[in-house]
Amino acid sequence: MLALRLARGSQSAVQLRRLLVATASAATGFLLLGTLGHALAHQDSAGGSALRLAWCVAPIAATVHFAVTVARTDPGTRPRPGLSAIGLGPARLMAVSAATTALSCTLGSMLALLFFLHLRGDLTGMPFDGDASDFLAADHSLPLPAALTLLTLVPAAASISVALTLRPRDTHRRTRAQAAGARTQAAGTPAQAAGARAQAAGSSAAGAAPVPARGGTPSAPGSAANPPAPTPGTPESPAQDPDDLPSTDPHPLPAPNPTPRDLPWGIAVLAAGLAVEAYASRDTHTPGLTIPGGATGSPAAVLAGWTLTALGLALAGPGLTHLCGRLLQAVRPGALRLLAGRVLMAESTRIGRPLGVVCAVASGAYAMATLYDADDPSLGPLTTLGALVVAGCTVATLLTAAAEARAARADTTAALLRLGAPATTLRTAAAMRAGALLALFAPLTFLIAELAALPLTT
């Protein structure tokens, strides 16, 4: 009930994102039900049905990725001061986010089931003059348990992914450890504390019989003129560096964002994927695999190569975005280039990974367009729907991440405007960031698409 109340009271932009998640879930659920219909109509070819089910992995992954991004940018389930007092701590808010995501995806799955039953003619008769009866197995009874099992894949995967992504980190334990370390550093080691107590005892004993000074005036045993003699076996207490003292600043500066470290791994995985594709095209004894786009009988290792290529681009996306920010600030930068580059470096992790996924999908779409064959029987409405789901979810994920980045730097933008920075400067910096990303990622996507399509065209 709490998830329903929070979902109902959200902003219009948040409601639109959840509606898009439900739409993507509905399209993916319809693809899964279409695979079930193909299996019912072609019970003698289990391999073809299993292959269709394997091709549904890409739409499922794109939908889940989009659902996680929408849940992460939801301001209603973000931890805020005071919510823990009413029982809405980080763990509870994570559970609410997972429940809201499951609710949106379940709504889409139910819509997919209703539309699937409508096209089969199970509700109001056969629509479209029975054109959809061939791939939906209208002449076979639909096993409802199997259909419901397939429809639970997207809500379950999305809610579990949201729970794992938004799980509360163990910040309290680290804070207590840091506080204990600061207290230990301020008090000193136990050996130093024992030495200080022994030194104080020696000073008290020496104070019972003060030594007269040269002028007849006794001097204090602990004064600068007559320092106390150190006790044998007691180490001298060194002067403590002011920099080593614990910080007492009530408003410490936030820690800088770490530099992405996945760029070498991404390049390595990308190179491995291209190598697997090139090797598979030379081996004529490998089993064939029907790939949407007209590449019938292609080696099965090509799919593994494409998967590695997409994974490599996703891993290398944050590092490449960070590199764009550094290049913008090279060679005597002005204030405009410094602002654009710093923003790219700060937001490299947030927008870099969705940008890498978009590049992977774009390279795959280019390869499919190169291999397109209009006479291929494998091309149909379900293939087109799957391509639209993957492309739409990746682009929507990138736009949602960009909106999240803009909201994250809203305070910085407001501070610049208060200092007198013109709005045209901020717009020019945004255009400069977009141009730098396009100048790096567009040729890279085209090159990888050409290399990915080359094994299938030779």
Side-chain angles (χ1 to χ4, degrees), residues 5-32:
R5 291 177 181 177
L6 290 177
R8 186 181 59 183
S10 300
Q11 301 175 358
S12 57
V14 178
Q15 298 285 10
L16 178 61
R17 294 169 191 169
R18 290 172 180 166
L19 182 61
L20 291 177
V21 171
T23 304
S25 177
T28 307
F30 188 81
L31 288 175
L32 293 171

Side-chain angles (χ1 to χ4, degrees), residues 11-323:
Q11 301 175 358
S12 57
V14 178
Q15 298 285 10
L16 178 61
R17 294 169 191 169
R18 290 172 180 166
L19 182 61
L20 291 177
V21 171
T23 304
S25 177
T28 307
F30 188 81
L31 288 175
L32 293 171
L33 292 177
T35 302
L36 178 61
H38 182 274
L40 292 175
H42 304 83
Q43 299 183 7
D44 53 343
S45 59
S49 301
L51 181 60
R52 286 174 175 263
L53 185 62
W55 280 112
C56 291
V57 174
I60 291 175
T63 303
V64 170
H65 189 207
F66 179 47
V68 170
T69 305
V70 170
R72 193 178 62 240
T73 57
D74 189 356
T77 57
R78 189 172 301 166
R80 292 185 298 273
L83 291 182
S84 299
I86 59 174
L88 291 178
R92 185 73 179 276
L93 289 178
M94 178 269 295
V96 170
S97 298
T100 305
T101 303
L103 182 64
S104 301
C105 294
T106 302
L107 176 62
S109 298
M110 292 300 102
L111 291 177
L113 179 60
L114 291 177
F115 189 65
F116 183 78
L117 294 177
H118 174 68
L119 290 181
R120 279 173 50 91
D122 296 337
L123 298 179
T124 58
M126 186 68 66
F128 305 114
D129 298 330
D131 294 338
S133 60
D134 296 335
F135 61 92
L136 298 182
D139 52 346
H140 293 76
S141 60
L142 181 67
L144 191 58
L148 294 179
T149 301
L150 289 176
L151 290 177
T152 56
L153 290 179
V154 177
S159 59
I160 292 174
S161 300
V162 168
L164 292 177
T165 303
L166 302 181
R167 68 187 185 277
R169 274 38 175 201
D170 194 7
T171 57
H172 299 288
R173 182 177 300 176
R174 289 197 299 266
T175 303
R176 289 195 299 268
Q178 292 174 357
R183 287 194 299 268
T184 302
Q185 184 179 6
T189 60
Q192 292 176 351
R197 288 194 297 268
Q199 184 176 1
S203 300
S204 301
V211 180
R214 217 175 259 185
T217 305
S219 59
S223 62
N226 189 14
T231 306
T234 303
E236 296 183 358
S237 179
Q240 193 169 8
D241 191 356
D243 296 335
D244 295 337
L245 294 175
S247 176
T248 58
D249 188 5
H251 302 288
L253 294 176
N257 294 328
T259 304
R261 301 179 182 273
D262 294 335
L263 182 58
W265 290 101
I267 294 176
V269 174
L270 178 62
L274 295 176
V276 168
E277 293 177 24
Y279 179 77
S281 64
R282 297 180 60 183
D283 192 358
T284 58
H285 300 288
T286 54
L289 179 65
T290 303
I291 298 178
T296 305
S298 300
V302 172
L303 178 60
W306 281 3
T307 304
L308 290 176
T309 301
L311 180 60
L313 281 174
L315 289 176
L320 293 176
T321 306
H322 196 273
L323 179 62

Side-chain angles (χ1 to χ4, degrees), residues 400-419:
T400 305
E404 180 188 8
R406 182 179 181 182
R409 62 174 183 270
D411 296 338
T412 304
T413 303
L416 289 175
L417 292 176
R418 285 195 304 267
L419 290 175

